[in-house]
């Protein structure tokens, strides 16, 4: 695939490469600077592997001060910077460019402070999402946003993308669970935004930084909310004849005033792929599967489930299967959370991430099917049913350039459909390069210019992750 | 001059004419929070009173949208009729500020106005999912939309929430909503000192029993005896179970009394609206800090500001503080007390002269003030909207 354009590398910067590397070498420890081609290669892409660009150099600082020194230097030299966490972005958000320095926070991976009385933890940006929960789980606490990539992805990357997960129906996404950050700005100044308290003074800069995809500065530390885990949690599998009944059941559950912790949807192809991988005991005789998780004491879970089962029965549910053990629970979630990886074992895929108003679900599923068939492709659907965040996985063969192009076109058609029915291009993966050129479908010029003027407050010269989020044409600087 | 546009197009034209004339413009919803922020020096006012009506309500999608001037009351009644509510329990400023009029949904967004449920369900900004706003170029700008999960582009929704009209005139806002709980009860412990009370609240909030609100009212705030409050909201069967479990968990602090219905609602309305301080001559501050630092902050303030009274919400992390007005309403002493503890103080109620002399919002560090000025300019290059309401010169 090559449809998405990158900016033409600045020849002047490429010509100065040696001098720039020498300058960087004076700022960080020797093992923090990566320049050889072999060692740079792991940084040339992220999880959108169809696109690759070799960066000028990679810097892996160990302290906020080092990040500040490197950022100030790049700013002074007019060298583009691409912030990087673990490089699991599905939108190409962390893909570099030839004239850019990658600043990765992976070495800053310490948990600095855990404060149970105030229910917060202070962590460095390179800590993995799962490590935060890992550090507090023995004491009965957890960090709520749980992207399926949580074993690998970093808190810095989660903040970059405002990531979500299966359990955010009840607990919210990253922006609802971060109370403060340490941000290094392009001129090297280090600012504290928010902290251990709930509301920061002045404009909500924290809300602006979260989801800004590395365009406003580099986050080096974060204060996150940790929550006490429920007494118990139990996922239940509901097999419906078709996705229409499953969609109607979701609406009816919410309409009845019940907000389960998670409501995840899989269609038949997705069920088959995930079951083959995880052996989770998913029912194979249904057209659509809902995984609904409830929490609380045993009696509370029984009571809530009884209500949910009654509603599901009204909507023609076939199989209802409760998890009976911690092992079954783990297998059920493993199947769902490895949906992308399991799909990757049978085909190449691109993962869409549009959100739709849930009432549009039956219409969108039908239209999506037509779109995919129109291109002669196959799709597997997993999504967060409670909030309408779809993840169609479009299957294709990456060695066939024509099919690859078709897959990309089909994906674009699906995202346009999401916007047409009142939704948006991306619910949790971010715009990156992938949806950059579709931004004009969702926003008009005034909308985009206002965003770019805010961006310019932090980076008037388009040096921070410049190839991302906004179409390359028609950009403004202030 | 008062402008009352009835369409977005008219509102754009009004703003464009103001930009042309370069005169300061005040923004008014219901006018119930007019005393918030620094006193304004605007010669023209634009009101959202002509922009009313619910534009979208889908109970099964848990979303409601309305024009900015829609009375909050209409939103709440509409939601209640379908068994739903705004998640963040917005405060009503009228009693505290001694103002009249009908609060509007646009001002709730503009002020990021939240109440006791904020600790569990998030602030107004967490539920605000879409806005339309006229910026200082007279352009209608939209951000967000009507779906909960949305990370498309920079999150201008958050920036505008809590900007008190300084970034533009909101014409329409969309919020996520939640089902109303089946049953609500309040557990009340008596006679605890501040420190013990906050320890109790921390223990409860760190338990699996999900208190939705947690406050402490020291002696003399609404009653002779100190009262420590936890509110549970859930299905009826869960409430009985959780109330009993919490009482057991916290038994070292004594046995709680359980109230529900009107008595419980009225108590939380007083906490939400800080109405213990209504109608007095005192200045009123709002302090936001880490909960366990709450009692330390009030102890330090009590030493340096004679006559200070307070109570805690948000498990100790929000302090409502009333102090004698004289001089600068204790500003220097209060902010000095917070310095070693973290957190910040906002002056919510004081005579105009005091609010003009004292920074109403916590002064920001130099780089953040620069960013703040830059953001203001990016929305409002001529500086027409509510100049100086949040910070002098911005
Ligand atoms: C198998 C798989 C499953 C996934 N499942 C989910 C899911 O369920 N939910 C979900 O939301 N996402 C999911 N993702 C996407 C991805 O994991 C998230 O976007 C994640 O937050 C990226 O984190 P990262 O550390 O890998 O960041 P990167 O990919 O390195 O970077 C992501 C973005 O953040 C910026 N950035 C990184 N670090 C910083 C920093 N310190 N300061 C400023 N900006 C920074 C980068 O420039 C880039 O724009 C999945 C990805 C994969 C491969
Ligand atoms: C920190 C603070 C301290 C205050 N202290 C005092 C005081 O001591 N004494 C006193 O009398 N008053 C005080 N006020 C009150 C205040 O100035 C107004 O009386 C009050 O804002 C009216 O609320 P409402 O709908 O009734 O909305 P309004 O009161 O009309 O508006 C509330 C806020 O939201 C903004 N707003 C409303 N609608 C929109 C919209 N459509 N688009 C964009 N912005 C909008 C307004 O500009 C205003 O900042 C204070 C206000 C603040 C913020």
């Amino acid at each position: 695939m090559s449809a998405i354009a990158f900016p033409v590398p600045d020849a002047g910067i490429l010509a100065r490469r040696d001098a720039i590397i020498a300058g960087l070498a004076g700022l960080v420890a020797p093992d923090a600077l990566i320049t050889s081609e072999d060692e740079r290669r792991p940084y040339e892409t992220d999880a959108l592997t169809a696109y690759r660009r070799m960066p000028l150099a990679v810097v892996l600082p160990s302290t906020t001060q080092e990040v500040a020194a490197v950022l100030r230097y790049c700013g002074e030299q007019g060298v583009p910077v691409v912030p990087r966490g673990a490089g699991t972005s599905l939108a190409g958000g962390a893909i570099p460019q030839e004239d850019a320095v990658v600043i990765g926070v992976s070495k800053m991976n310490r948990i600095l402070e855990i404060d149970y009385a105030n229910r917060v933890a202070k962590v460095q940006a390179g800590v993995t999402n799962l490590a935060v929960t890992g550090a507090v789980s023995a004491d009965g606490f957890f960090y709520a946003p749980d992207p399926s990539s949580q074993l690998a992805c970093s808190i810095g990357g989660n903040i970059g993308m405002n990531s979500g997960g299966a359990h955010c129906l009840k607990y919210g996404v990253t922006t609802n669970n971060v109370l403060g950050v340490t941000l290094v700005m392009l001129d090297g100044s280090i600012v504290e935004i928010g902290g251990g308290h709930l509301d920061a003074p002045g404009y909500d800069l924290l809300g602006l930084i979260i989801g800004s995809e590395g365009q406003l500065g580099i986050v080096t530390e974060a204060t996150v909310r940790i929550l006490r885990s429920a007494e118990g949690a139990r996922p239940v599998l509901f097999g419906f004849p078709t996705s229409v009944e499953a969609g109607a059941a979701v609406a009816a559950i919410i309409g009845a005033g019940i907000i389960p912790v998670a409501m995840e949807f899989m269609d038949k192809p997705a069920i088959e792929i995930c079951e083959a991988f995880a052996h989770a005991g998913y029912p194979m005789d249904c057209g659509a599967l809902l995984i609904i998780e409830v929490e609380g004491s045993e009696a509370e879970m029984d009571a809530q489930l009884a209500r949910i089962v009654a509603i599901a029965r009204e909507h023609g549910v076939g199989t209802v299967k409760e998890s009976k053990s911690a092992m079954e629970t783990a297998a059920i979630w493993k199947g769902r959370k490895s949906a992308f990886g399991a799909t990757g074992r049978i085909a190449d895929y691109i993962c869409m991430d549009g959100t739709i108003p849930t009432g549009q679900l039956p219409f969108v599923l039908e239209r999506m099917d037509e779109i995919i068939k129109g291109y002669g492709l196959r799709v597997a659907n997993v999504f967060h049913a409670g909030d309408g965040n779809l993840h169609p996985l479009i299957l294709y063969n990456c060695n066939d350039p024509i099919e690859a192009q078709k897959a990309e076109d089909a994906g674009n058609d699906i995202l346009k459909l999401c916007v047409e029915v009142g939704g948006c291009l991306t619910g949790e993966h971010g715009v990156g390069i992938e949806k950059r050129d579709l931004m004009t479908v969702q926003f008009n010029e005034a909308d985009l210019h206002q965003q770019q003027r805010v961006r310019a407050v932090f980076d008037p010269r388009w040096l921070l992750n410049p190839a991302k989020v906004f179409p390359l044409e028609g950009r403004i600087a202030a | 001059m008062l402008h009352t546009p009835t369409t977005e197009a008219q509102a754009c034209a009004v703003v464009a004419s103001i930009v042309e004339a370069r005169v300061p413009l005040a923004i008014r919803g219901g006018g119930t929070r007019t005393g918030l922020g620094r006193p304004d020096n605007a010669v023209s006012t634009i009101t959202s009173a002509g922009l009313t009506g619910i534009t979208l309500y889908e109970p099964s999608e848990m979303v409601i949208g309305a024009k900015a001037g829609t009375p909050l009351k209409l939103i709440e009644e509409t939601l209640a009729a379908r068994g739903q509510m705004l998640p963040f329990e917005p405060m009503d400023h009228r009693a505290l500020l001694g103002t009249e009029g009908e609060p509007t949904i646009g001002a709730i967004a503009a002020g990021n106005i939240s109440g006791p449920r904020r600790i569990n369900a998030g602030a107004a900004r967490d539920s605000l999912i879409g806005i339309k706003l006229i910026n200082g170029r007279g352009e209608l700008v939209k951000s967000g939309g009507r779906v909960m999960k949305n990370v498309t582009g920079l999150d201008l929704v958050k920036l505008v929430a809590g900007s008190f009209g300084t970034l533009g005139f909101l014409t329409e806002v969309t919020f996520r909503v939640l089902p109303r709980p089946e049953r609500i009860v309040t557990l009340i412990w008596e006679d605890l000192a501040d420190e013990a009370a906050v320890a109790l609240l921390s223990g409860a909030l760190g338990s699996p029993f999900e208190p939705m609100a947690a406050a402490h009212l020291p002696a003399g705030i609404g009653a002779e005896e100190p009262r420590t409050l936890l509110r549970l909201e859930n299905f009826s069967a869960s409430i009985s179970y959780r109330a009993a479990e919490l009482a057991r968990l916290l038994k070292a602090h004594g046995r709680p009394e359980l109230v529900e219905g009107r008595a419980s609602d009225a108590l939380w309305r007083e906490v939400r609206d800080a109405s213990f301080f209504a109608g007095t001559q005192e200045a009123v501050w709002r302090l936001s800090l880490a909960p366990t630092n709450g009692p330390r902050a009030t102890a330090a303030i009590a030493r340096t500001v004679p006559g200070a009274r307070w109570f805690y919400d948000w498990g100790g992390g929000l302090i409502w503080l009333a102090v004698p007005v004289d001089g600068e309403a204790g500003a220097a002493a209060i902010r000095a007390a917070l310095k070693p503890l973290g957190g910040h103080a906002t002056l919510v109620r004081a005579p105009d002269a005091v609010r003009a002399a004292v920074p109403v919002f916590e002064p920001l560090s130099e780089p953040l003030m620069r960013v703040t000025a830059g953001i203001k300019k990016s929305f409002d290059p001529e500086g027409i909207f509510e100049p100086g309401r949040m910070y002098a010169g911005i």
Side-chain angles (χ1 to χ4, degrees):
Chain A
M1 278 186 278
S2 58
I4 302 171
F6 278 74
V8 179
D10 182 325
I13 294 175
L14 298 181
R16 282 190 288 135
R17 178 163 188 256
D18 290 346
I20 292 166
I21 286 172
L24 292 170
L27 302 173
V28 294
D31 65 345
L33 179 60
I34 293 174
T35 58
S36 80
E37 188 166 332
D38 274 359
E39 287 174 298
R40 275 182 289 150
R41 187 154 322 275
Y43 298 89
E44 68 176 356
T45 188
D46 52 23
L48 188 68
T49 52
Y51 292 88
R52 288 159 201 274
R53 291 291 182 281
M54 188 66 95
L56 198 72
V58 177
V59 187
L60 303 176
S62 303
T63 64
T64 298
Q65 283 66 30
E66 278 186 347
V67 172
V70 173
L71 215 42
R72 185 185 319 115
Y73 176 78
C74 290
E76 284 163 3
Q77 297 290 320
V79 176
V81 167
V82 177
R84 186 178 180 101
T88 67
S89 170
L90 288 162
I95 297 180
Q97 54 194 55
E98 290 93 336
D99 56 2
V101 171
V102 169
I103 303 183
V105 294
S106 56
K107 283 193 179 167
M108 302 180 66
N109 60 359
R110 279 187 306 129
I111 297 204
L112 301 172
E113 200 185 312
I114 296 170
D115 178 351
Y116 291 118
N118 290 309
R119 302 166 302 282
V120 295
K122 192 165 183 182
V123 305
Q124 290 184 320
V127 166
T128 63
N129 173 292
L130 196 58
V132 180
T133 290
V136 297
S137 59
D139 295 299
F141 283 75
F142 71 111
Y143 174 61
D146 61 335
S148 303
S149 52
Q150 65 192 142
L151 189 61
C153 67
S154 69
I155 291 294
N158 292 174
I159 288 171
M161 291 310 194
N162 189 14
S163 302
H167 291 77
C168 60
L169 183 59
K170 175 168 178 194
Y171 293 112
V173 296
T174 302
T175 194
N176 314 113
N177 287 280
V178 173
L179 294 182
V181 295
T182 303
L183 180 80
V184 183
M185 300 201 290
L186 187 55
D187 65 359
S189 43
I190 299 168
V191 293
E192 299 292 334
I193 299 173
H197 45 280
L198 283 177
D199 286 339
Y203 295 148
D204 186 358
L205 300 176
L206 189 60
L208 177 69
I209 301 299
I210 296 172
S212 62
E213 306 202 16
Q215 300 179 95
L216 306 183
I218 295 190
V219 173
T220 58
E221 291 178 10
T223 303
V224 302
R225 276 161 68 112
I226 50 172
L227 303 177
R228 179 64 191 259
S229 309
E231 288 182 274
R234 200 188 302 160
V236 182
L237 302 170
F238 293 87
F240 289 88
T242 72
S243 26
V244 176
E245 286 95 351
V250 168
I253 291 166
I254 289 172
I258 305 168
I259 313 276
V261 206
M263 282 205 273
E264 296 289 304
F265 172 102
M266 292 188 195
D267 69 0
K268 197 163 181 60
I271 300 168
E272 280 164 7
I273 291 167
C274 295
E275 179 62 22
F277 177 78
H279 308 294
Y282 295 159
M284 304 301 290
D285 56 352
C286 60
L289 175 68
L290 290 178
I291 306 174
I292 300 182
E293 184 160 282
V294 293
E295 283 184 344
S297 68
E298 289 299 320
E300 286 177 312
M301 291 191 288
D302 288 343
Q304 221 188 89
L305 269 176
R307 288 170 190 247
I308 294 172
V309 169
I311 294 170
R313 297 241 186 271
E314 282 165 28
H315 291 85
V317 73
T319 316
V320 177
K321 193 174 159 206
E322 281 183 39
S323 164
K324 296 269 182 263
S325 69
M327 246 172 67
E328 274 183 41
T329 296
I332 287 172
W333 280 116
K334 181 177 172 219
R336 167 60 188 88
K337 290 196 173 183
S338 47
F340 301 171
T343 304
R345 298 198 316 167
I346 62 157
D348 300 305
Y349 69 90
I350 46 176
C351 173
M352 297 289 107
D353 175 45
T355 305
I356 58 164
T358 48
Q360 298 288 334
L361 196 59
F363 170 73
V364 168
L365 286 176
E366 195 182 306
R367 271 294 294 135
M368 206 150 72
D369 206 43
E370 287 166 20
I371 290 171
I372 294 289
K373 286 208 176 100
Y375 285 99
L377 297 167
R378 285 183 306 146
V379 66
N381 273 302
V382 293
F383 57 80
H384 310 301
D387 48 35
N389 187 191
L390 311 180
H391 293 316
L393 301 167
I394 303 174
L395 311 182
Y396 73 104
N397 172 5
C398 76
N399 295 318
D400 176 347
I402 295 175
E403 195 171 294
Q405 188 60 51
K406 279 185 183 166
E408 225 169 67
D409 292 345
N412 289 349
D413 288 358
I414 289 171
L415 293 184
K416 285 180 195 162
L417 172 66
C418 292
V419 175
E420 265 164 38
V421 299
C424 65
L425 295 173
T426 171
E428 58 181 17
H429 295 169
V431 177
I433 57 166
E434 190 204 14
K435 291 145 224 152
R436 186 190 69 197
D437 298 326
L438 291 174
M439 286 289 273
T440 51
V441 175
Q442 188 173 329
F443 295 111
N444 66 22
E445 189 178 86
D447 304 335
L448 289 174
H449 280 177
Q450 185 59 60
Q451 292 184 32
Q452 290 174 32
R453 289 193 175 99
V454 169
R455 188 191 188 290
V457 173
F458 296 82
D459 176 23
R461 290 171 295 157
W462 289 85
L463 292 177
L464 282 165
N465 219 5
K468 315 296 162 62
V469 183
F470 297 104
L472 299 178
E473 303 292 322
R475 291 177 163 189
I476 57 170
Chain B
M1 190 171 156
L2 181 68
H3 303 274
T4 312
T6 55
T7 64
E8 277 172 349
Q10 280 177 14
C12 284
V14 169
V15 172
S17 71
I18 298 283
V19 174
E20 184 95 346
R22 301 194 185 191
V23 292
L25 179 66
I27 299 180
R28 203 156 77 197
T32 64
R33 299 184 180 89
T34 314
L36 287 181
R38 308 181 69 246
D40 60 49
N41 52 3
V43 297
S44 272
T45 297
I46 187 169
T47 171
S48 61
L51 295 167
T52 59
I54 290 170
T55 50
L56 161 79
Y57 180 34
E58 287 289 349
S60 71
E61 293 173 10
M62 300 191 288
V63 56
I64 193 162
K67 302 238 184 80
T70 310
L72 174 64
K73 196 159 167 265
L74 178 68
I75 303 277
E76 290 185 326
E77 286 168 1
T78 304
L79 291 171
R82 301 297 300 266
Q84 296 189 325
M85 61 181 185
L86 290 171
F88 47 90
E89 199 178 3
M91 142 175 214
D92 184 340
H93 281 82
R94 282 176 291 189
L96 184 65
L97 298 180
T99 50
E100 290 174 358
E102 252 338 285
T104 60
I105 191 70
I108 297 295
N112 186 23
I113 313 268
S114 316
R117 276 178 125 256
R118 193 254 177 276
I119 37 165
N120 197 304
R125 58 86 98 172
D126 293 287
S127 288
L128 183 64
I129 56 178
I131 56 165
K132 283 191 193 165
L133 154 124
I134 298 170
N135 68 11
R137 292 183 164 77
E139 300 165 336
L140 184 69
V141 169
K142 68 168 180 306
S143 181
R146 61 173 285 190
V147 291
M148 235 177 290
K149 291 276 282 293
N150 185 348
V151 298
T152 323
L154 291 181
D155 194 349
L156 304 185
V157 175
K158 297 276 185 320
L159 261 189
V160 169
S163 65
F164 291 101
T166 60
L167 299 180
F169 178 63
L170 285 165
T171 58
E172 195 173 335
V173 296
T174 305
F175 282 99
R176 145 190 136 91
V177 303
L178 282 179
R180 262 173 195 281
E182 203 172 81
R183 187 173 165 210
I184 301 174
V185 304
T186 300
L187 300 177
I188 307 176
W189 284 260
E190 285 197 337
D191 280 337
L192 297 178
D194 290 11
E195 195 110 5
V198 170
L200 180 156
L201 299 179
S202 282
L205 292 166
S207 81
F209 308 112
E210 293 181 299
M212 294 303 291
H216 175 65
L217 311 175
I221 301 292
E224 303 254 304
E225 301 300 325
R227 289 170 296 168
T228 309
L229 321 176
L230 286 176
R231 189 173 79 204
L232 294 174
E233 306 175 7
N234 218 309
F235 292 106
S236 300
S238 282
I239 291 284
S240 316
Y241 168 71
R242 292 183 177 209
E245 288 297 307
L246 274 171
R248 183 166 26 235
L249 177 75
L250 303 167
K251 62 175 183 290
H253 298 282
R255 266 166 63 116
E257 179 196 357
L258 186 149
V259 300
E260 64 181 306
R262 275 209 207 117
S264 165
D265 293 352
L267 190 51
W268 285 104
R269 211 170 310 116
E270 287 183 285
V271 171
R272 183 192 74 183
D273 297 344
S275 45
F276 307 112
F277 302 152
T280 73
Q281 295 300 312
E282 300 154 291
V284 176
W285 290 85
R286 199 172 177 275
L287 277 48
S288 181
L289 73 179
T292 52
N293 284 335
R296 277 171 224 159
T298 50
I301 290 164
R303 282 194 293 274
T304 48
V305 186
R309 319 188 281 148
W310 60 81
F311 69 92
Y312 306 84
D313 195 358
W314 297 356
L318 171 64
I319 298 170
W320 284 100
L321 176 71
V323 299
V325 163
D326 25 271
E328 32 119 67
I334 291 165
R335 289 189 165 132
L338 287 183
K339 191 125 235 160
L341 299 172
H344 64 98
T346 308
L347 179 57
V348 174
R349 185 181 76 186
D352 278 9
V354 178
R355 287 186 298 127
V358 168
V360 164
F361 294 93
E362 188 83 17
L364 302 170
S365 67
E366 191 277 326
L368 286 185
M369 199 51 107
R370 223 180 326 124
V371 167
T372 299
I375 286 172
K376 166 72 172 170
K377 199 148 188 274
S378 78
F379 278 86
D380 181 17
E382 304 297 337
I384 60 161
F385 290 116
E386 303 267 9
R389 183 184 279 274
M390 289 185 73
Y391 295 101
I394 292 181

